[in-house]
Amino acid sequence: MQHIERELTDHVKLCDAKGHLNPNAIGYAKKPLIECNLKGNFMRKKKWNYWCVFGDEIVFSATICHLDYAAVCFVYFLNYETQRFFEKTIMVPYSRHLRLSESVLDTSLFRSEALTIQSIYEDGTTRMSVDIPEFDGENLQASIVINHPSDMDSLNVVIPWNRQTFQFTAKHHALPTSGMVKIGSQRYNFDELDSFTVLDYGRGVWPREAVWNWAMASQRSLGKVIGLNFGGKWTDGTGMTENAFFVNGRMTKISEDVLFRYDSKDFKKPWLIHTKLTDDVKLTFSPFYERVSISGARLVKSEVHQLFGYYNGYVRYADGKKLKIHQLLGSIEEHYAKW
């Protein structure tokens, strides 16, 4: 069954005066029209900006996350060929050196002695800088320029569990990217023609425990720039999905739940992703690297299995035609959180 998902075309506030979900915000938009005016709900508000850059040689990611009582920030990189991987994570009590905006593209900042992440948006461009004095025994510096072309669609969805628990997610795909990451004496450059960033912006009021799957890719393939975004488990039963694909900046929304089939005892086996009732999505994901991140702090427990690999198969346009997906580099994950 296809969900009937309302498309939002005007700016709207996520919450009402009491901090509950504004019913007028439920839906999806092709532009970031939702203002995330979260309030109240102490300990339950969750905010994050996750940036992931797919370059020719490496994937590089930086995240600022605020759990209402602590900040969790992490940076990781993976060299595809050598499979050199390193991740730096810090968790600190809420700090005045943290800023996460109510609007998707506004400035975000986290600053500490161990790690600094900053993104500044102006005139259709995000300039992101990352500085880590000690990253796998070396100094890391990143200077990245991410373009947001005005004619590109993005996926912006409000997921309503109920009036008290809800999430706004913005997934901005295939953003042309230039700049560099330097680790010690090794420098990796991003070329705007073939380097693409994915932004995952989240703001919401969450239950204490949650689990989700997320599949994504943003690459140039077969003469097109293609973005994939599929989610599972966390949106089930809400009447909304975060399922869509993008071709040369145009989004096709998929208003149907997607199933993820995988072996939770061996995440590196191939994954199958398909729509629940139709054959509009039929993809196989073949991993080549598994990132595992486990946190067992008193208030925060999480376990992430994120796989990097290649998508093959197809997705279907609204007119019934198929878009072939061939060796499209991306990632897929299972994430459990108790927060």
Side-chain angles (χ1 to χ4, degrees), residues 38-326:
L38 294 178
K39 60 187 290 186
N41 297 293
F42 180 60
M43 301 275 281
R44 303 269 44 89
K45 295 191 298 297
K46 312 300 173 193
K47 306 175 184 178
W48 63 79
N49 286 28
Y50 167 92
W51 300 90
C52 189
V53 187
F54 290 93
D56 278 342
E57 297 175 273
I58 67 167
V59 59
F60 176 76
S61 181
T63 297
I64 304 172
C65 181
H66 184 217
L67 304 177
D68 228 13
Y69 46 82
V72 181
C73 298
F74 56 92
V75 172
Y76 65 78
F77 102 109
L78 169 67
N79 183 309
Y80 308 130
E81 189 172 343
T82 67
Q83 297 208 351
R84 180 190 177 191
F85 175 87
F86 191 73
E87 180 167 0
K88 176 100 171 188
T89 303
I90 64 168
M91 183 186 298
V92 296
Y94 179 61
S95 161
R96 61 190 175 90
H97 299 297
L98 181 148
R99 177 178 170 185
L100 287 172
S101 63
E102 294 187 350
S103 299
V104 174
L105 297 179
D106 282 354
T107 293
S108 62
L109 166 71
F110 176 81
R111 184 180 293 121
S112 73
E113 289 184 4
L115 184 155
T116 297
I117 303 170
Q118 179 173 272
S119 68
I120 298 173
Y121 175 81
E122 188 176 13
D123 296 331
T125 300
T126 295
R127 296 183 179 276
M128 184 167 69
S129 60
V130 181
D131 190 1
I132 305 177
E134 207 289 320
F135 186 85
D136 200 15
E138 300 182 288
N139 178 265
L140 180 145
Q141 289 181 306
S143 178
I144 298 170
V145 179
I146 302 160
N147 287 324
H148 305 265
S150 60
D151 59 347
M152 274 183 67
D153 293 338
S154 56
L155 177 63
N156 306 271
V157 183
V158 174
I159 304 294
W161 295 301
N162 53 53
R163 288 291 303 279
Q164 286 72 45
T165 52
F166 49 90
Q167 168 76 351
F168 168 63
T169 183
K171 301 291 181 20
H172 291 216
H173 279 268
L175 303 171
T177 301
S178 59
M180 67 89 193
V181 174
K182 189 177 180 189
I183 304 172
S185 60
Q186 182 71 53
R187 180 184 171 113
Y188 302 95
N189 293 314
F190 297 120
D191 181 332
E192 194 173 88
L193 259 183
D194 292 301
S195 298
F196 299 99
T197 292
V198 177
L199 167 63
D200 172 13
Y201 172 103
R203 302 288 189 272
V205 180
W206 282 72
R208 176 77 170 116
E209 280 190 88
V211 62
W212 64 82
N213 293 126
W214 180 32
M216 60 96 157
S218 283
Q219 291 288 294
R220 188 180 298 278
S221 174
L222 304 177
K224 303 179 180 73
V225 176
I226 298 173
L228 302 177
N229 197 92
F230 299 105
K233 294 189 175 74
W234 75 286
T235 59
D236 294 356
T238 65
M240 295 296 302
T241 80
E242 62 163 342
N243 301 328
F245 64 91
F246 303 80
V247 180
N248 296 332
R250 297 275 75 82
M251 180 174 78
T252 297
K253 183 74 177 71
I254 296 174
S255 298
E256 185 180 350
D257 291 333
V258 167
L259 300 177
F260 290 69
R261 300 195 184 279
Y262 55 98
D263 187 342
S264 58
K265 293 184 174 60
D266 184 358
F267 288 95
K268 290 188 79 173
K269 288 183 178 177
W271 295 46
L272 302 177
I273 307 100
H274 59 89
T275 31
K276 190 172 183 179
L277 299 172
T278 70
D279 64 350
D280 286 353
V281 175
K282 202 165 189 180
L283 296 168
T284 299
F285 180 82
S286 302
F288 63 78
Y289 188 83
E290 180 181 7
R291 167 185 168 246
V292 181
S293 177
I294 298 175
S295 170
R298 189 167 60 88
L299 280 174
V300 184
K301 289 182 172 25
S302 72
E303 184 169 339
V304 182
H305 295 267
Q306 182 183 23
L307 292 303
F308 296 92
Y310 296 96
Y311 290 93
N312 286 281
Y314 70 84
V315 292
R316 197 186 295 276
Y317 290 103
D319 65 4
K321 293 179 181 175
K322 291 179 181 178
L323 171 69
K324 183 180 179 182
I325 303 298
H326 176 69

